[in-house]
Amino acid sequence: MNTLATLPLVEPVTTPVIYRLAHEADGPAIGRLFAASDYGDLGVDWHRADVANGWLVADQEGEIIGAIQLGAGQPYGFIGDCVVHPSLRARDAAGQGQPNKPGLVMLTLFALALRALRETGTQVVLGVAHRPGMKRLLRRYGGVALGPRELFA
């Protein structure tokens, strides 16, 4: 049973966060977010990446603090990488960031991406999740494990 002392804390968001589709010029900012989060991007040149058609971002006062890749289609859609600034990860009672636990911004990005895909007619959303917490989150939104698979790049 969780008590208030054991519930993960989320760093408070002090100014409004705007969730929007990425603009073409947001590529470098998303790349900086990957670097700040120590999240591998397979050497992508973010200055050449046109992210306007396929990314949803969390924008706080002009700074990209979170991003999730999505591809709408019928009958299948796709959710790719989701990256959030380390300062916005879920926190433990001591205030330490917990990289394997999503905070409010990440949860909101996933919820909005799933809703957007559903509204465009996507019947099945494909994606990759390897962390237990993320698997539970996706199951909560109707995700189904497909078993072990090969990842290629």
Side-chain angles (χ1 to χ4, degrees):
M1 178 173 165
N2 284 332
T3 65
L4 188 56
T6 61
L7 289 174
L9 303 175
V10 176
E11 186 72 20
V13 177
T14 56
T15 56
V17 176
I18 306 297
Y19 295 90
R20 62 173 174 79
L21 292 175
H23 303 145
E24 184 177 344
D26 288 333
I30 294 173
R32 288 190 297 275
L33 188 59
F34 269 77
S37 300
D38 293 324
Y39 195 93
D41 67 3
L42 303 173
V44 169
D45 181 353
W46 289 100
H47 291 280
R48 290 185 23 210
D50 179 357
V51 296
N53 191 14
W55 287 82
L56 178 67
V57 298
D59 181 326
Q60 187 176 43
E61 296 185 330
E63 179 185 357
I64 303 299
I65 59 170
I68 189 167
Q69 185 180 24
L70 65 153
Q74 293 186 20
Y76 303 106
F78 172 79
I79 289 185
D81 290 323
C82 183
V83 62
V84 173
H85 194 276
S87 68
L88 297 171
R89 293 177 180 156
R91 303 207 171 264
D92 61 19
Q96 299 298 309
Q98 299 179 314
N100 294 331
K101 296 204 178 262
L104 180 60
V105 171
M106 182 177 280
L107 291 171
T108 303
L109 284 167
F110 266 98
L112 291 173
L114 290 164
R115 184 174 78 189
L117 291 173
R118 185 175 53 248
E119 288 176 0
T120 61
T122 297
Q123 297 174 41
V124 176
V125 178
L126 305 173
V128 176
H130 63 278
R131 294 184 175 140
M134 193 53 58
K135 290 178 183 179
R136 283 191 302 275
L137 171 70
L138 294 173
R139 274 191 216 102
R140 185 180 321 151
Y141 284 99
V144 177
L146 299 176
R149 298 288 179 252
E150 296 287 326
L151 180 64
F152 62 94

